[in-house]
Amino acid sequence: MICGVDEAGRGPVMGPLVIAAVMVDTDAGLKELKVKDSKLLTRQKREALAPRIREVARVEVKVLSAEHIDKFRTDDSLNMLEAMAFAELIEIMSPDLAIVDAADVVEERFGKMIMDNMRCRPEMVCKHKADVNYPVVSAASIIAKTVRDGIMDDIGKELGQPVGSGYPNDETTRSFLEKWIRENKDFPPHTRRSWRTAKEIYSLSSVTRLTDWTDNR
C-alpha cells in the first residue's frame, strides 16, 4: 500500500493548515484521473477531482486551526507541528510506502522528524516537489487544498464577508484584515497572531493601505 501526504495552508496569515493522506494499492487509478499538484489546477478542477479521488483511494484529513498553530509555535516550530501531523496520518494508514512532500529545506531532516513521531516503519520517501512528481502526493495536495478552500468559505460566512484565501498576497484577504483591524482594533478570529505578517498588520492598523506584506513561511 502506497500513502501520499501533503498539506495546504502552510503560509497564510488566516485560516487552518490542512494535511491530507491518500492511500492506494496502485496509483494507476490516480494516473487515469490525471491528478496534478493542486497549485497547477483551478479550484473548479480540484473540486471535480476530489470526490473521484475518494472513490479510488482511502483518504484521511487533519485540520490544524490558527489557534492551535499559534499555541504550538510558542514552544516549537511549524516544521515540527507539520511533521507530527504527517506522522499521525501515516500511522492511521499504516502503509508499506509513505511518500511525503518535504516541508523542510533539508529533505532528510523532515523525513526523520516524521519517522521519530511514528511507531510503524514504512519505507519513507521525503522529497521536494513530491506533489508534482508522485500522483499519490498530487492527490493528497488536491484533497488538502479542497478541504481548506471550503473551510475558508465557511470562515467568510461566519464573519459575514469574504475573507479570501488567507494568504497575505490575496487582495480580498488584505482588504478584509485592514478593514477589520481599523474597525475593531484587533484581529478577527482565525488569524495566526504569531505570524510576523500579522504583527506588521497590527502595527500599521491605522494606515489605510498596508504595503510590503511578507509571507511567514
Side-chain angles (χ1 to χ4, degrees), residues 6-184:
D6 199 9
E7 53 77 19
R10 178 178 170 83
V13 68
M14 279 192 74
L17 171 63
V18 177
I19 299 95
V22 170
M23 189 165 72
V24 293
D25 57 1
T26 170
D27 62 8
L30 298 175
K31 289 179 178 178
E32 288 181 9
L33 293 178
K34 294 182 170 59
V35 295
K36 296 180 181 179
D37 172 19
S38 63
K39 294 184 290 296
L40 302 177
L41 300 170
T42 64
R43 178 168 181 171
Q44 182 179 16
K45 184 63 174 177
R46 291 193 299 267
E47 290 180 346
L49 282 171
R52 300 186 67 188
I53 291 168
R54 291 177 182 272
E55 289 174 358
V56 300
R58 179 181 173 187
V59 172
E60 295 285 345
V61 174
K62 185 172 181 64
V63 178
L64 301 172
S65 69
E67 293 78 12
H68 183 87
I69 293 168
D70 283 342
K71 183 177 180 180
F72 189 91
R73 274 167 47 89
T74 60
D75 298 312
D76 217 322
S77 69
L78 183 64
N79 280 359
M80 179 56 75
L81 177 61
E82 194 168 321
M84 290 171 65
F86 276 44
E88 181 179 336
L89 293 185
I90 294 170
E91 279 277 333
I92 292 171
M93 295 295 205
S94 192
D96 301 300
L97 170 64
I99 308 173
V100 306
D101 195 49
D104 195 300
V105 293
V106 180
E107 297 167 334
E108 295 80 5
R109 181 167 59 197
F110 190 65
K112 184 177 185 303
M113 290 169 68
I114 295 171
M115 294 296 288
D116 286 347
N117 283 279
M118 293 192 309
R119 293 182 302 276
C120 69
R121 284 290 179 264
E123 179 184 351
M124 173 71 70
V125 174
C126 182
K127 295 290 185 181
H128 297 137
K129 299 188 181 299
D131 49 1
V132 174
N133 297 316
Y134 296 91
V136 71
V137 185
S138 299
S141 77
I142 291 168
I143 294 294
K145 178 62 173 167
T146 302
V147 170
R148 189 176 189 280
D149 284 346
I151 292 172
M152 294 307 297
D153 289 346
D154 290 342
I155 289 173
K157 293 173 184 176
E158 174 191 334
L159 300 180
Q161 54 190 301
V163 299
S165 66
Y167 282 89
N169 61 353
D170 184 319
E171 180 69 25
T172 301
T173 299
R174 290 202 304 267
S175 298
F176 166 75
L177 285 172
E178 292 170 12
K179 181 174 183 289
W180 185 283
I181 292 167
R182 288 197 305 270
E183 292 178 353
N184 299 280

Side-chain angles (χ1 to χ4, degrees), residues 180-199:
W180 185 283
I181 292 167
R182 288 197 305 270
E183 292 178 353
N184 299 280
K185 310 305 180 187
D186 196 5
F187 293 114
H190 311 290
T191 300
R192 300 182 189 180
R193 293 170 178 263
S194 65
W195 251 227
R196 182 174 63 248
T197 300
K199 295 172 183 176

